[in-house]
Amino acid sequence: MKIRIRQHERGLWFRDGDFTELLMPGAHVKGRWLLGLGRGVNGDKVEIADTLKTRFEHALLDVLLVNAQLREALQVVDLADGQRAVVWKDDRLFAILGPGRYAFWKTAAKLNVETFAIESFRFEHAKLQTVLASPDATKWFDGVMVSAEEDVLLYRDGVLVERLAGGLHVFWKGTGKVTWKTIDRREQVADVAGQEIMTSDKVTLRVNLLVTWVVTDAVKAVTSVGDYAQALYREAQLVLRAAVGTKTLDVLLGDKEAVGAEVRQALAARAEAIGVAVKSVGLRDIILPGDMKTLLNQVIAATKEAEANLIKRREETAAARSQANTAKLLAESPQLARLKELEMLREVLAGTKATFVFGSGDLTEQIRGLVANKE
């Protein structure tokens, strides 16, 4: 009896359970066959393998590969524990392989097997996005996307191994526990709000502080303290308390910028120790208790009233001094006095339509007499 192997098939001939021969396409007569069962009466058996599936899988693969004829028909990939492989079929991604032995039929399809040693840890490839699009990619790879304004510290088994710049970074799984920490390099703002502080003159008030800062050393920021943002916040509270506690309320209200500069100078040294640079510090709000606010308003009102009275007295004194100086000049200069009289006469007669006829004698006395008679 005959068995026929088609062009895209291969036959695996077993006799008494042992692999005997690889049957190529065509008709074959191997002993006496039982039709439809693929088994001969003398223990012969033929298994049909489809080469269109590309990958050849069999429970007895290691035994079958001992046969030189079968091994010649297959492309074998043998990967150790520290190796991985990416298989391309006709320049298209076919499979990602882990440790083990794999076999692929040498057919008309073009196979390309790339082998990688995962000790290098990082995976880089010209067709990275294609590889990552594979459904099996998450099984073999870890990845982290870093934006341009971030720094990422990469740890392997708890040890810092690399500082990642912007872009996509991909790593092989199975090389240890991989973790990472992201640090934002953009300018940050810490709002230290509602802290109650007593001034040197025993006035309790609430102060809101605004601190602008930026991370300058990512490694120092994550290794020197558990939380660099929280550490800077606590330090700002302590520095502010120390600066306000040594000043009176009047000094504090009179020059908030000086207090802010003092806080910044004290805070900058501590911030540098944790990899942070302080850009600016400012007292945003100073909130007084209700009764103190009333008293302060009264003090301000009294102060302004006293200032207004002082200005009024100063102006009155200046006016009196000016009048005295004028009188002295008039006494010393009859011509100037006569001129002032004529100016006064012009103001008195302004807007009148009266006609005057003057006789002999002093002109001023005549005008005064006429004005008196008119009244």
Side-chain angles (χ1 to χ4, degrees), residues 169-206:
H169 305 268
V170 181
F171 312 95
W172 288 106
K173 285 186 176 181
T175 59
K177 183 179 180 181
V178 179
T179 58
W180 54 82
K181 292 183 179 179
T182 301
I183 297 91
D184 195 334
R185 292 188 286 103
R186 293 175 295 183
E187 191 173 276
Q188 306 291 323
V189 176
D191 190 354
V192 185
Q195 187 175 195
E196 292 189 356
I197 305 174
M198 181 177 291
T199 63
S200 62
D201 51 354
K202 310 304 180 184
V203 178
T204 301
L205 44 81
R206 296 170 66 88

Side-chain angles (χ1 to χ4, degrees), residues 19-34:
F19 179 67
T20 302
E21 184 181 351
L22 175 67
L23 304 181
M24 302 302 289
H28 301 270
V29 178
K30 298 293 182 181
R32 297 178 61 192
W33 298 91
L34 299 178

Side-chain angles (χ1 to χ4, degrees), residues 207-254:
V207 180
N208 294 335
L209 184 69
L210 205 63
V211 181
T212 304
W213 56 277
V214 64
V215 176
T216 55
D217 190 331
V219 176
K220 186 184 293 186
V222 300
T223 56
S224 58
V225 291
D227 187 336
Y228 54 89
Q230 187 63 29
L232 183 67
Y233 184 92
R234 291 194 304 268
E235 198 64 29
Q237 287 182 316
L238 297 176
V239 171
L240 176 62
R241 187 175 296 275
V244 173
T246 59
K247 293 176 176 57
T248 64
L249 178 61
D250 291 340
V251 173
L252 186 63
L253 295 178

Side-chain angles (χ1 to χ4, degrees), residues 122 257 303 323:
R122 180 187 288 270
E257 295 298 328
T303 302
Q323 290 176 352

